[in-house]
Amino acid sequence: MFHHTRIRLAATAAVAVAAIGLTACGSGSGDEIVDKPKAKASAKADSGDAQKPAAEKSSAAPEVAKVGDTLALKGMESGSGLDVTVVKVADNAKPSDEFFAPESGNRWIGVQFQLVNTGSKVYSDAPMNGAKMADDQGQQFGTTIADIAAGPSMSSDVRLKPGAKALGWLVFEVPKASKVATVSFAMDSGFAQQAGEWKL
């Protein structure tokens, strides 16, 4: 028991040192919240249509990102960037097998993310480290390792060359009574200055 505790403390200390090192490198750790989505491709194709009403044009890019919207994010390193889309949300997500389930009083919420490398460098990270969920009371929840029936999980070690994409579910465990409000994502395991935020 003592041996396991010592390993856990050593791992915690290593993470803390890494976090301090990243912060020292100039990371704002989410200093800038990005919530203005990119215009949909179909809206761009229609942009030359002078007959389209102004109200309809403006609806192509809503003021605050929601499910289905894409946010353009930058990483800490020059030349690193992702287009991140919240594709779907599965509230009260069912486990993919009978051996794992949320703790009593909690539920799982799955969020399907699509990541597209828009930068000039290879993207290599564990996306689950950079995702957070918040409820309407301001409580924040990190991801949990779980497989849900909605579909395949996002890999814990994603490597994308420029132009490549990854698709998968990240799972959050929240109290059953919580009313979720937003989900956020930042590059560099959450230490990038920019963090994308979607309203749920």
Side-chain angles (χ1 to χ4, degrees):
M1 181 64 131
F2 175 73
H3 179 66
H4 289 303
T5 303
R6 190 169 54 189
I7 290 173
R8 194 178 304 119
L9 289 172
T12 303
V15 169
V17 169
I20 291 168
L22 283 169
T23 303
C25 290
S27 164
S29 189
D31 286 346
E32 180 187 349
I33 301 297
V34 177
D35 62 0
K36 302 293 184 271
K38 295 179 68 174
K40 301 275 196 296
S42 59
K44 288 179 183 173
D46 293 337
S47 62
D49 185 359
Q51 304 302 318
K52 193 170 285 291
E56 196 174 336
K57 282 184 182 177
S58 65
S59 69
E63 288 190 10
V64 179
K66 303 186 302 292
V67 176
D69 289 328
T70 300
L71 297 177
L73 301 178
K74 289 185 171 62
M76 291 165 56
E77 195 177 351
S78 176
S80 63
L82 288 178
D83 272 1
V84 183
T85 307
V86 169
V87 181
K88 296 178 188 173
V89 175
D91 200 344
N92 202 22
K94 304 299 180 209
S96 62
D97 59 53
E98 70 274 17
F99 300 108
F100 297 98
E103 288 187 18
S104 179
N106 290 348
R107 74 190 196 272
W108 282 345
I109 299 179
V111 179
Q112 189 182 42
F113 282 94
Q114 177 178 272
L115 312 177
V116 179
N117 186 352
T118 57
S120 57
K121 301 175 183 287
V122 171
Y123 167 78
S124 179
D125 200 7
M128 67 181 301
N129 293 340
K132 280 191 171 68
M133 185 169 279
D135 67 12
D136 61 353
Q137 301 300 307
Q139 296 181 101
Q140 294 196 348
F141 309 95
T143 56
T144 187
I145 298 173
D147 292 320
I148 57 176
S153 296
M154 178 72 75
S155 171
S156 60
D157 181 21
V158 173
R159 289 180 59 82
L160 300 174
K161 65 183 181 181
K165 64 183 177 181
L167 178 71
W169 290 87
L170 296 179
V171 180
F172 303 83
E173 185 164 341
V174 304
K176 285 183 177 177
S178 286
K179 183 179 179 184
V180 295
T182 61
V183 65
S184 63
F185 181 87
M187 294 180 65
D188 303 304
S189 286
F191 286 97
Q193 184 175 6
Q194 285 189 337
E197 184 177 272
W198 293 258
K199 188 174 180 179
L200 300 178

